[in-house]
Amino acid sequence: MSSPSATPAPPSPARRMAAVALLVPVLVALALWAFAWPGARTAPRDLPLGVAGPAAAAAPVEQQLRSHKGAFEIHRYADEAAARAAIEDRAVYGAVVATAQGPKLLTATAASPVVAQLLQQAVSAGAPKGTQVPTVDVVAAPAGDPRGAVLSSSVLPLAIAGVAGGSAVTLFGLRGWRAAGALVVAAALVGVVAAALTHTWLGVLTGNWWDEAGVLGLSALAVGGTVAGLAALIGPAGIGVGALLMVLLGNPFSGVSSAPQLLPEPVGRIGQFLPPGAGGTLLRSVSYFDGARAMTPAITLAAWAGLGLVCVLLGGLRRKRGAGEGAGEPAAREAVAVAVG
């Protein structure tokens, strides 16, 4: 009869101390890099900007904007009405209209107050000395949140709520359909509560109440499903991996406080494929722009949520199968012993 395999000895206290001493500085360095580096390198990079007006009048304006190498992605429009429509559709962050009296700036503080201020500075610097550039806010930020601080501050709490939900499902021992159902119900309640706070109480979201609640809930489900799914597949360590991905990277890479095009590449692009960035972009579209450009971030969130829930269900099936095989082993050994005897 073969002897049972020996259980590997746990790491010694000295090794555990060394692991902690090395891990903490690495995490601190990673956090500082993720949060501080994008902020220190904030600058426009191919920022979509419109130029409108007759070709002869618009050409000098376009040339002046192109002198900022790599800063702006110029879109040409025939007139001011077309430029306004492009801003409302979120095709551009703003537009410079060439008029007989000089340049006129169209902005959208609802898209990004930081970008609106940056455009004012750039256009004013290129205008003739002493010229006052008139500015029109086509899609204004709500009076209760003119700097977008409340909306940008909602990204981290939603990520934390998702991580908490995924962790709770794992630590409470929920598996399979029960875990998936708990995550969906918790996310729905998060969406309702968050909409009640931000829309009804604070008045900083101005779109359809139920659409906003749906976006907030889907954002929480995308994070929670990912955390729970990772934990179901690789064990409790999945909670840490999911938290690092969503909070440590997803939050600073989201670009919600400024704009993805102001973050260094490829941070801004990566952030839009993570739930915090996609959720922030979708919430702006639904709340301030009647759902314009909402398809891509909605699909991104749905994909994260769906894959997370699938992993939760697969993890539950794997545990059931393992438990069944473990229960069958003693009976099989007993049958073999009887047959041999």
Side-chain angles (χ1 to χ4, degrees):
M1 180 180 290
S2 60
S3 60
S5 59
T7 303
S12 65
R15 287 188 177 182
R16 292 198 294 268
M17 289 175 61
V20 171
L22 292 174
L23 181 61
V24 171
V26 169
L27 290 177
V28 170
L30 181 60
L32 287 174
W33 168 79
F35 281 85
W37 175 59
R41 298 290 185 270
T42 297
R45 296 170 177 85
D46 293 325
L47 186 75
L49 177 64
V51 174
V61 176
E62 184 173 346
Q63 184 178 2
Q64 187 269 326
L65 292 172
R66 291 189 185 278
S67 66
H68 302 274
K69 297 296 184 181
F72 302 110
E73 178 187 279
I74 304 300
H75 297 246
R76 284 286 286 114
Y77 299 102
D79 51 28
E80 181 177 340
R84 284 175 174 266
I87 293 172
E88 292 169 351
D89 191 47
R90 301 205 72 183
V92 292
Y93 280 89
V96 183
V97 182
T99 69
Q101 294 75 29
K104 176 182 179 180
L105 177 63
L106 307 179
T107 63
T109 52
S112 173
V114 175
V115 169
Q117 184 178 10
L118 183 151
L119 293 178
Q120 286 180 317
Q121 294 171 350
V123 174
S124 297
K129 190 173 181 180
T131 302
Q132 187 72 23
V133 178
T135 302
V136 178
D137 198 348
V138 177
V139 186
D145 190 25
R147 295 181 178 84
V150 178
L151 187 141
S152 61
S153 298
S154 67
V155 173
L156 182 58
L158 284 175
I160 292 174
V163 171
S167 303
V169 162
T170 303
L171 298 177
F172 289 166
L174 297 177
R175 302 287 183 263
W177 289 104
R178 288 186 177 87
L183 287 168
V184 171
V185 172
L189 293 176
V190 166
V192 170
V193 171
L197 291 173
T198 54
H199 184 119
T200 306
W201 180 43
L202 297 176
V204 298
L205 299 182
T206 58
N208 180 274
W209 195 96
W210 288 107
D211 289 345
E212 293 165 353
V215 171
L216 294 165
L218 183 58
S219 298
L221 181 60
V223 176
T226 300
V227 171
L230 287 171
L233 293 181
I234 65 177
I239 296 175
V241 174
L244 288 175
L245 180 64
M246 299 300 171
V247 177
L248 195 60
L249 296 182
N251 185 56
F253 288 11
S254 68
V256 177
S257 61
S258 54
Q261 293 85 356
L262 296 187
L263 300 180
E265 287 290 350
V267 167
R269 196 178 305 275
I270 292 173
Q272 293 305 296
F273 288 103
L274 294 174
T281 299
L282 182 58
L283 188 59
R284 279 192 194 277
S285 293
V286 167
S287 182
Y288 307 137
F289 292 89
D290 293 328
R293 308 279 167 161
M295 183 64 71
T296 298
I299 291 174
T300 301
L301 289 177
W304 279 97
L307 287 174
L309 293 178
V310 167
C311 290
V312 169
L313 296 176
L314 290 177
L317 290 175
R318 189 177 65 176
R319 286 179 176 272
K320 278 186 178 180
R321 188 176 304 149
E325 291 174 355
E329 286 179 2
R333 284 197 297 268
E334 183 178 349
V336 170
V338 170
V340 172

